[in-house]
């Protein structure tokens, strides 16, 4: 097991642990996100399909954590107390509340979030994304429909 990142909550009550370990039965690596309570030394698995390119982060108050799920995995992800099931081919930002232990989903359509940041409080998230190539092709075809392209 490798530990990719550790992040202490703002009140130092929780530790967020991103681990990577081989999953031999599915012939892949498992990116897991664990929540460790520092006072009681309890740990809880939040998901075992963490998207490794965007690092999970605490909200300014320490009540929320955002993370992304890796949809390219072949098995169903474990998302503890998820309020709604994601629709296939849609991208979501997952918000986990440490108080209610629920996961809320924010739909971002077909866009791939590249970077996510909290606002000054827990009320806003900002993200940068890239539109999928199908949307780009449709937009380009409509815009340049009367132009003959020799090379792309």
């Amino acid at each position: 097991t490798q530990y990719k990142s550790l992040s202490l909550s703002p009140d130092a009550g929780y530790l967020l642990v991103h681990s990577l370990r081989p999953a031999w039965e599915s012939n892949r690596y498992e990116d897991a996100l664990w929540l460790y309570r520092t006072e009681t030394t309890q740990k809880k698995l939040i998901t075992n399909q963490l998207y490794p390119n965007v690092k999970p982060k605490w909200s300014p108050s320490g009540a929320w954590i955002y993370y992304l799920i890796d949809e390219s995995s072949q098995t169903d992800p474990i998302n503890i107390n998820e309020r709604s099931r994601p629709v296939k081919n849609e991208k979501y930002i997952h918000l986990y509340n440490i108080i209610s232990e629920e996961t809320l989903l924010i739909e971002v359509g077909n866009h791939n979030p590249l970077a996510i940041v909290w606002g000054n409080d827990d009320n806003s998230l900002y993200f940068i994304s890239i539109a999928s190539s199908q949307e780009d092709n449709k937009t380009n075809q409509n815009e340049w429909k009367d132009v003959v392209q020799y090379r792309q």
Side-chain angles (χ1 to χ4, degrees):
T1 301
Q2 297 176 9
Y3 297 100
K4 304 300 269 180
S5 68
L6 298 171
S7 177
L8 196 60
S9 66
D11 66 354
Y14 293 90
L15 183 65
L16 196 59
V17 179
H18 173 195
S19 66
L20 178 70
R21 70 173 188 87
W24 301 110
E25 64 280 354
S26 59
N27 198 25
R28 64 177 185 81
Y29 283 93
E30 181 180 275
D31 280 285
L33 185 63
W34 294 87
L35 187 64
Y36 180 81
R37 190 170 191 157
T38 56
E39 292 176 4
T40 61
T41 66
Q42 293 175 328
K43 67 178 180 177
K44 179 177 184 174
L45 178 65
I46 296 175
T47 183
N48 66 345
Q49 301 295 328
L50 186 66
Y51 183 66
N53 295 339
V54 176
K55 186 178 173 182
K57 274 208 172 156
W58 291 98
S59 67
S61 73
W64 295 91
I65 303 161
Y66 73 72
Y67 63 94
L68 299 175
I69 294 293
D70 186 3
E71 288 129 6
S72 66
S73 66
Q74 297 175 358
T75 59
D76 288 335
I78 293 174
N79 291 308
I80 307 302
N81 294 325
E82 200 169 272
R83 184 171 279 179
S84 61
R85 279 318 241 172
V87 177
K88 204 162 191 139
N89 298 330
E90 294 291 324
K91 308 284 191 258
Y92 294 89
I93 297 173
H94 297 249
L95 296 176
Y96 180 79
N97 187 301
I98 62 168
I99 298 164
S100 67
E101 297 182 345
E102 289 184 332
T103 301
L104 304 176
L105 303 178
I106 299 174
E107 183 180 342
V108 292
N110 294 329
H111 298 89
N112 296 314
L114 297 175
I116 307 170
V117 67
W118 285 99
N120 290 335
D121 56 13
D122 290 0
N123 296 326
S124 57
L125 270 175
Y126 302 95
F127 69 94
I128 297 172
S129 65
I130 293 179
S132 67
S133 60
Q134 292 175 351
E135 290 177 17
D136 289 341
N137 287 340
K138 287 180 185 177
T139 304
N140 286 338
Q141 285 175 357
N142 290 338
E143 186 176 340
W144 298 96
K145 63 183 174 187
D146 59 346
V147 176
V148 177
Q149 294 183 354
Y150 292 98
R151 292 186 187 163
Q152 279 190 330

